[in-house]
Amino acid sequence: MRPKIIAGNWKMNLSEKEAIALASGLKEKSSSLPDNKKAVVFPSSIHLASVARILENSKISVGAQNIYPAPLTAMTGETGPDQLSELGIKFALVGHSERRQFLGETSLFCNQKISYLAKHGFTAVYCVGETLAERESGKTFEVLKKQIQEGLGSIESDQFSRIWVAYEPVWAIGTGKVATPAQAQEAHAFIRKEISGLFQNGKTISDAMPILYGGSVKADNVKELLSQADIDGGLVGGASQKLESFLALF
């Protein structure tokens, strides 16, 4: 039985005061969250230390929005797993569409990140998804297949217990547009099948892997989305940045 997961991506939002207030509110309410759902928040890097301290020993985990796959080294502007481990952080997003679109992050580089994270005890949340032009031209599954094969193809099978996938159609992120439950389920089922084909025992791996949906997830659509057979949670943007709207997702 795969867990149900609500993950909040705060992106480059919230001041330090706002991030502390939100984390404090979440800490106060965390004991009332259902035991059958996992909760993770991904603050911007400048707020990670503050948020991690507040949410320590709560039911809400904290993750980084980005990570560089190396030990402490001369890499200006990046954050490494060793630094995050000091804060008790063991989750990281990999390959979010905004980093792919605007910062040139490739699936092959994501592969390096995922492998490094899994080997060092982190859970990597690997983001995949197609643009509107790719969907309208019938290339959705071609794009997803390439992203899965390049991003996960050389990962060792025993590392997959430390990997989640997030399907985020680029055309639905921050636009208010949401894939229908049927569209989202179709994509999730395809992703799970592609993962199962990576290894001889791949079905066992893919059946156990959480796959989240991201793209304008809100309280009024989350229940129907999560009722689909292959959708195990949501990677939520805007609705995760206010206490009431985030709690309403549970």
Side-chain angles (χ1 to χ4, degrees):
M1 194 73 178
R2 296 184 300 270
K4 293 294 185 182
I5 300 159
I6 302 295
N9 180 9
W10 296 358
K11 306 192 178 188
M12 197 177 73
N13 289 298
L14 308 181
S15 66
E16 178 78 356
K17 182 178 179 181
E18 290 169 334
I20 288 173
L22 178 52
S24 298
L26 290 172
K27 175 69 177 284
E28 182 180 346
K29 299 290 187 180
S30 63
S31 61
S32 64
L33 295 179
D35 292 331
N36 65 341
K37 287 196 175 86
K38 291 180 179 288
V40 190
V41 294
F42 295 87
S44 57
S45 60
I46 198 169
H47 301 144
L48 276 172
S50 298
V51 172
R53 280 194 293 267
I54 292 168
L55 293 176
E56 186 177 9
N57 299 320
S58 77
K59 293 171 71 173
I60 302 174
S61 299
V62 180
Q65 295 179 17
N66 182 44
I67 200 165
Y68 191 79
L72 297 178
T73 187
M75 186 53 66
T76 301
E78 295 293 327
T79 305
D82 293 338
Q83 295 168 312
L84 295 174
S85 291
E86 290 179 354
L87 302 176
I89 292 171
K90 288 295 183 181
F91 289 83
L93 297 178
V94 178
H96 191 280
S97 65
E98 290 148 4
R99 296 195 63 81
R100 290 179 185 268
Q101 277 185 290
F102 305 119
L103 298 172
E105 193 159 300
T106 67
S107 295
L108 292 174
F109 186 43
C110 290
N111 182 279
Q112 295 177 42
K113 290 187 176 188
I114 294 165
S115 180
Y116 193 92
L117 288 166
K119 287 176 181 176
H120 290 80
F122 282 74
T123 295
V125 184
Y126 179 45
C127 303
V128 299
E130 80 284 4
T131 65
L132 180 60
E134 288 165 342
R135 174 166 279 274
E136 289 180 341
S137 61
K139 294 182 178 178
T140 294
F141 299 129
E142 178 184 334
V143 170
L144 293 177
K145 183 182 183 73
K146 186 173 188 288
Q147 290 173 337
I148 291 298
Q149 290 185 344
E150 291 185 351
L152 300 178
S154 62
I155 305 296
E156 297 175 15
S157 60
D158 61 357
Q159 295 177 0
F160 271 79
S161 62
R162 308 293 305 181
I163 299 170
W164 302 348
V165 171
Y167 168 61
E168 294 196 306
V170 180
W171 47 272
I173 298 173
T175 64
K177 298 179 181 179
V178 186
T180 66
Q183 287 174 323
Q185 165 58 25
E186 182 182 40
H188 279 238
F190 179 84
I191 290 166
R192 202 176 297 284
K193 182 179 179 181
E194 284 301 307
I195 293 169
S196 73
L198 296 177
F199 302 101
Q200 193 168 12
N201 62 335
K203 189 174 189 306
T204 300
I205 291 171
S206 67
D207 283 349
M209 179 178 287
I211 304 178
L212 315 183
Y213 172 77
S216 300
V217 177
K218 298 179 177 66
D220 60 2
N221 60 36
V222 67
K223 185 175 181 180
E224 188 174 10
L225 286 165
L226 267 62
S227 70
Q228 304 301 308
D230 289 291
I231 301 179
D232 303 312
L235 180 56
V236 186
S240 73
Q241 295 161 29
K242 293 183 179 179
L243 180 63
E244 296 77 10
S245 55
F246 187 61
L247 294 175
L249 299 171
F250 292 87

